[in-house]
């Protein structure tokens, strides 16, 4: 019986694959501005992440290093980029206390090369339901999107200049991930 258990564990581990950064991959969070800056979008990238995919169970997990986020805005002055990054790390993500953002799928519904995943997204230690749409665009390469309402994580959309510049509460997550 013990040998059968070890064989089953070995078979399941063969069905799991690692998600890790490859050339051309990205995980981006886009946050639209309101008011006087309507039309502008903050773009944050997570260059350090990892995870796993278990095809046998139609389940996956992705972990983003919240303290390694990079601001990719090309419309902001360098001094302001630094302020945006500091605010994001300290006030929005609380990256020192919560070094990871984690998504774990609980159900994946496939439709050919496309799929919809239901799961839980954890930001700042709070887990909330999240829906992810993804598509296989190459062997072991997936692109996808999700929308996250920052208010669900008790985050107040930042504003400035007495509210004449604001932030949409709905953020868009876009990614291209490789599984090996």
């Amino acid at each position: 019986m013990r040998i059968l258990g070890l064989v089953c564990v070995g078979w399941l581990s063969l069905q799991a694959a690692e998600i890790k950064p490859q050339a051309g991959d990205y995980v981006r969070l886009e946050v639209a501005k309101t008011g006087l800056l309507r039309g502008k979008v903050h773009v944050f990238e997570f260059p350090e992440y990892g995870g796993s995919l278990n095809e046998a169970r139609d389940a996956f997990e992705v972990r983003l290093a919240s303290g390694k986020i990079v601001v990719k805005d090309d419309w902001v002055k360098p001094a302001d980029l630094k302020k945006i990054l500091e605010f994001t790390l300290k006030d929005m993500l609380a990256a020192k206390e919560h070094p990871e953002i984690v998504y774990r799928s609980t159900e994946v519904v496939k439709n050919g090369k496309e799929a919809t995943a239901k799961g839980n997204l954890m930001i700042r230690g709070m887990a909330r339901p999240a829906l992810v749409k993804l598509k296989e665009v190459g062997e072991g390469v997936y692109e996808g999107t999700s929308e996250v309402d920052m208010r669900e994580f008790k985050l107040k959309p930042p504003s400035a200049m007495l509210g004449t510049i604001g932030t949409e509460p709905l953020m868009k997550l876009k990614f291209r991930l490789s599984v090996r």
Side-chain angles (χ1 to χ4, degrees), residues 1-11:
M1 189 67 150
R2 203 171 215 165
I3 292 173
L4 178 60
L6 289 173
V7 169
C8 288
V9 169
W11 181 81

Side-chain angles (χ1 to χ4, degrees), residues 22-65:
Q22 303 288 321
D25 288 357
Y26 58 86
V27 178
R28 290 187 189 116
L29 188 61
E30 297 179 356
V31 185
K33 300 303 292 176
T34 63
L36 295 175
L37 292 180
R38 181 174 302 282
K40 300 289 186 186
V41 177
H42 287 304
V43 178
F44 301 96
E45 262 189 28
F46 295 87
E48 293 187 25
Y49 59 85
S52 61
L53 168 69
N54 187 322
E55 290 189 74
R57 294 187 178 162
D58 282 337
F60 66 95
E61 176 181 281
V62 177
R63 296 175 166 276
L64 309 174

Side-chain angles (χ1 to χ4, degrees), residues 85-96:
L85 179 60
E86 288 173 356
F87 177 80
T88 301
L89 289 172
K90 183 179 176 192
D91 297 319
M92 295 303 284
L93 297 178
K96 283 188 179 184

Side-chain angles (χ1 to χ4, degrees), residues 29-177:
L29 188 61
E30 297 179 356
V31 185
K33 300 303 292 176
T34 63
L36 295 175
L37 292 180
R38 181 174 302 282
K40 300 289 186 186
V41 177
H42 287 304
V43 178
F44 301 96
E45 262 189 28
F46 295 87
E48 293 187 25
Y49 59 85
S52 61
L53 168 69
N54 187 322
E55 290 189 74
R57 294 187 178 162
D58 282 337
F60 66 95
E61 176 181 281
V62 177
R63 296 175 166 276
L64 309 174
S66 61
K68 303 294 182 178
I69 196 167
V70 177
V71 183
K72 303 295 274 186
D73 299 353
D74 58 3
W75 55 274
V76 176
K77 297 177 197 172
D80 290 336
L81 281 176
K82 184 177 178 183
K83 290 177 190 174
I84 292 166
L85 179 60
E86 288 173 356
F87 177 80
T88 301
L89 289 172
K90 183 179 176 192
D91 297 319
M92 295 303 284
L93 297 178
K96 283 188 179 184
E97 295 85 8
H98 305 283
E100 289 186 321
I101 296 171
V102 180
Y103 179 81
R104 283 189 190 100
S105 69
T106 55
E107 177 184 356
V108 178
V109 177
K110 294 180 181 177
N111 183 10
K113 296 251 183 213
E114 296 183 7
T116 301
K118 292 180 182 178
N120 292 302
L121 176 65
M122 187 165 44
I123 300 175
R124 294 176 58 122
M126 288 182 269
R128 300 290 185 262
L131 191 68
V132 175
K133 294 181 180 183
L134 49 116
K135 180 179 183 180
E136 187 172 13
V137 295
E139 189 173 331
V141 181
Y142 299 87
E143 290 182 355
T145 61
S146 184
E147 292 187 342
V148 179
D149 189 332
M150 65 177 76
R151 297 169 297 191
E152 289 182 15
F153 295 91
K154 299 183 181 175
L155 299 172
K156 183 180 177 189
S159 65
M161 296 178 54
L162 301 174
T164 59
I165 297 174
T167 305
E168 290 287 343
L170 199 59
M171 304 179 288
K172 294 181 181 171
L173 180 71
K174 297 180 179 181
F175 62 86
R176 178 183 176 97
L177 299 173

